[in-house]
């Protein structure tokens, strides 16, 4: 009786010392604040049906997204395993549990063990916290799958808009090449009539070749971008169909962008995944505390002996409270890991907010430049026409024409790239705010 009293006293002491926090439940951060926030889908933000078709194809075929889905399935299996831990563990094996008792040469009896079972009683929340850790891990994997989905949508949209920008740049480069070829031919006629020298002809020829090389390089870059898109789509040689939307408002739903609640940043998959890791660490602290409490296990067996069934049940009380200080040390380590993940969550949230601010600032700044750049291009076109006319009339030099041509091309490319930057910033904002609803 004295030994049992010591064990019971140790159990009561362990429960008193460590039970605080064992049964605590994690409460999500900002759950009420973001509960009613609606994040628009990509079809509500990006307006072109050609882009919708490409994104739908990527979501259906992309291997990285499928692998993320498999990781969710693995986490779900681990959660189911943790739930089954509440049930008794049953082991069957009569062929390994047969015994014979009796005198040598005399009569005896055979006995068989059909099965043995053990069952841990979850008084101190050990199994419950393991289940909650598995659930947090499952939610984290789901968030990673959503993050992979959002990043895939953003990657397809980004490549799509880059291809549109390259299409426009190639068109502009082809026009520049054609114009410079005409200028080169015209300068050849001027040379024959004595109105220009070899230096002028050579300069226009070099300018023509530079424009030609630029157009070829842009085509190569477009080919590489198309291959990158096909890789996301998991298709080999299908053409990447795209629309011809020129204006910002034709490609992007400006009103929907402006109406997005910026608090949606808290619903981002990576922010939610960081919180899921935090929840798992919280329950890991609970589990470490629970490991300092006794384990109550009921075990038993079922068998046959001398033509009758036999069974037995034994209750076991294991007290690991001292355990060379390892359990207490694990509690301290778990608390430190929880504090580390608290800081990680705050850092992820801070980074998310910064990405939103940068994307919004880029959109507003670049959008304010659209009209100015259009006016500049028109002015450079008039300047080139006037300079070209002056040279034809003999009042201007070929260097003035070359300069005007280069400045017009630069302003046209800058205008195209500005539109590309706006669309890219919209993609980044869409991703920074959570990647849209399913």
């Amino acid at each position: 009786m004295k030994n049992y009293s010591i064990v019971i006293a140790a159990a009561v002491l362990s429960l008193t010392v460590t039970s605080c926090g064992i049964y605590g439940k994690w409460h999500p951060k900002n759950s009420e604040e973001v509960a009613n926030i609606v994040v628009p889908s990509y079809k509500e933000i990006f307006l072109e049906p050609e882009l919708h078709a490409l994104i739908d194809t990527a979501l259906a075929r992309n291997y990285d997204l499928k692998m993320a889905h498999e990781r969710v399935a693995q986490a779900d299996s681990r959660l189911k395993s943790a739930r089954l831990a509440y049930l008794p563990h049953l082991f069957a094996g009569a062929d390994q549990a047969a015994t014979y008792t009796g005198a040598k040469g005399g009569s005896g009896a055979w006995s068989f063990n059909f099965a043995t079972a053990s069952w841990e009683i979850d008084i101190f929340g050990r199994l419950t916290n393991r289940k909650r850790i598995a659930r947090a891990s499952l939610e984290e994997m789901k968030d990673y799958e959503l993050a992979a989905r959002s990043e895939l949508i953003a990657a397809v949209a980004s490549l799509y808009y880059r291809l549109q920008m390259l299409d426009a740049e190639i068109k502009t480069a082809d026009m520049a090449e054609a114009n410079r070829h005409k200028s080169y031919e015209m300068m050849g006629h001027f040379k024959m009539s004595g109105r220009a020298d070899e230096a002028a002809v050579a300069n226009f020829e070099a300018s023509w070749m530079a424009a030609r090389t630029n157009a070829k390089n842009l085509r190569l870059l477009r080919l590489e971008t198309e291959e990158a898109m096909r890789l996301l789509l998991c298709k080999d040689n299908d053409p990447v169909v795209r629309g011809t939307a020129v204006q910002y408002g034709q490609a992007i739903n400006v009103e929907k962008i402006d109406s997005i609640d910026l608090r949606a940043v808290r619903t981002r998959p990576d922010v939610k995944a960081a919180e899921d890791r935090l929840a798992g660490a919280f329950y890991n602290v609970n589990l470490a505390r629970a490991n300092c409490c006794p384990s109550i296990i009921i075990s038993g067996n079922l068998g046959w002996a001398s033509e009758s069934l036999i069974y037995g049940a034994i209750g076991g009380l294991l007290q690991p409270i001292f355990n060379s200080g390892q359990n207490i040390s694990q509690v301290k380590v778990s608390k430190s890991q929880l504090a580390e993940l608290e800081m990680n969550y705050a850092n992820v949230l801070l980074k998310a907010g910064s990405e939103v601010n940068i994307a919004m600032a880029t959109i507003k700044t670049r959008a304010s430049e659209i009209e100015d750049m259009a006016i500049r291009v028109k002015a450079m076109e008039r300047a080139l026409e006037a300079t070209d006319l002056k040279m034809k009339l003999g009042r201007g030099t070929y260097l003035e024409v070359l300069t005007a041509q280069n400045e017009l091309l630069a302003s046209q490319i800058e205008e195209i790239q500005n539109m590309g930057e706006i669309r890219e910033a919209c993609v980044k904002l869409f991703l920074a705010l959570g990647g849209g609803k399913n």
Side-chain angles (χ1 to χ4, degrees), residues 209-430:
M209 289 298 105
R212 196 170 170 181
T213 301
N214 181 51
K216 290 179 179 179
N217 288 334
L218 288 172
R219 281 183 167 81
L220 176 60
L221 184 55
R222 183 172 64 180
L223 176 62
E224 293 173 352
T225 306
E226 287 177 334
E227 288 301 320
M229 178 71 86
R230 292 189 184 98
L231 185 61
L232 293 180
L233 301 177
C234 296
K235 287 189 173 183
D236 293 332
N237 298 311
D238 290 357
V240 181
V241 180
R242 45 196 178 271
T244 57
V246 177
Q247 300 300 321
Y248 167 41
Q250 294 175 331
I252 304 292
N253 190 335
V254 181
E255 293 182 359
K256 186 67 72 172
I257 284 282
D258 291 338
S259 66
I260 291 177
D261 190 336
L262 297 184
R263 291 178 301 169
V265 70
R266 297 182 180 273
T267 68
R268 276 175 46 151
D270 60 336
V271 173
K272 292 172 66 179
E275 185 174 0
D276 291 330
R277 288 196 297 274
L278 193 54
F282 174 86
Y283 290 124
N284 200 45
V285 172
N286 288 358
L287 179 60
R289 288 169 173 162
N291 286 334
C292 294
C293 297
S295 298
I296 299 178
I297 300 176
I298 296 177
S299 61
N301 59 72
L302 179 67
W304 174 85
S306 299
E307 301 180 357
S308 64
L309 289 174
I310 62 172
Y311 63 90
I314 302 173
L317 181 65
L318 304 178
Q319 174 52 264
I321 186 170
F322 297 108
N323 196 22
S324 302
Q326 293 180 11
N327 291 332
I328 295 175
S329 175
Q330 186 57 43
V331 171
K332 294 179 180 179
V333 170
S334 300
K335 286 183 177 179
S336 177
Q337 291 172 338
L338 177 61
E340 180 183 351
L341 288 175
E342 283 272 11
M343 291 182 282
N344 177 69
Y345 174 78
N347 189 52
V348 170
L349 192 57
L350 186 64
K351 179 182 176 183
S354 176
E355 290 175 356
V356 170
N357 291 336
I358 292 173
M360 288 292 291
T362 302
I363 292 171
K364 291 179 180 179
T365 301
R366 295 291 178 257
S368 68
E369 297 171 352
I370 292 176
E371 186 176 354
D372 295 340
M373 288 188 172
I375 294 173
R376 180 189 173 193
V377 169
K378 294 295 183 183
M380 293 308 305
E381 288 175 347
R382 294 197 307 271
L384 177 58
E385 290 176 2
T387 305
D388 191 55
L389 180 59
K390 281 174 61 179
M391 187 184 70
K392 290 177 179 178
L393 297 175
R395 295 199 299 264
T397 66
Y398 70 90
L399 292 177
E400 291 176 324
V401 175
L402 286 175
T403 301
Q405 287 178 340
N406 290 334
E407 289 181 352
L408 173 60
L409 179 60
S411 64
Q412 290 172 330
I413 295 298
E414 188 176 354
E415 182 184 32
I416 293 169
Q417 290 178 344
N418 182 67
M419 292 300 302
E421 287 180 20
I422 294 175
R423 298 181 189 189
E424 180 66 23
C426 289
V427 173
K428 290 181 178 179
L429 178 62
F430 172 77

Side-chain angles (χ1 to χ4, degrees), residues 134-188:
R135 184 184 297 279
S137 177
L138 172 60
E139 294 302 319
E140 182 183 350
M141 289 299 104
K142 287 181 179 179
D143 290 329
Y144 276 128
E145 182 181 15
L146 286 176
R149 178 183 181 277
S150 300
E151 290 171 2
L152 178 60
I153 292 172
V156 172
S158 181
L159 289 175
Y160 179 86
Y161 292 135
R162 193 178 305 170
L163 284 170
Q164 284 188 325
M165 184 183 71
L166 287 169
D167 289 340
E169 287 184 350
I170 289 171
K171 183 178 179 180
T172 300
D174 287 343
M175 292 175 59
E177 179 192 352
N179 290 334
R180 294 184 186 192
H181 181 227
K182 290 180 181 178
S183 297
Y184 165 68
E185 291 181 334
M186 180 182 66
M187 196 56 56

Side-chain angles (χ1 to χ4, degrees), residues 82-99:
R83 287 171 176 165
L84 292 175
Y86 287 97
L87 301 177
H89 296 275
L90 182 65
F91 306 93
D95 57 329
Q96 297 179 359
T99 58

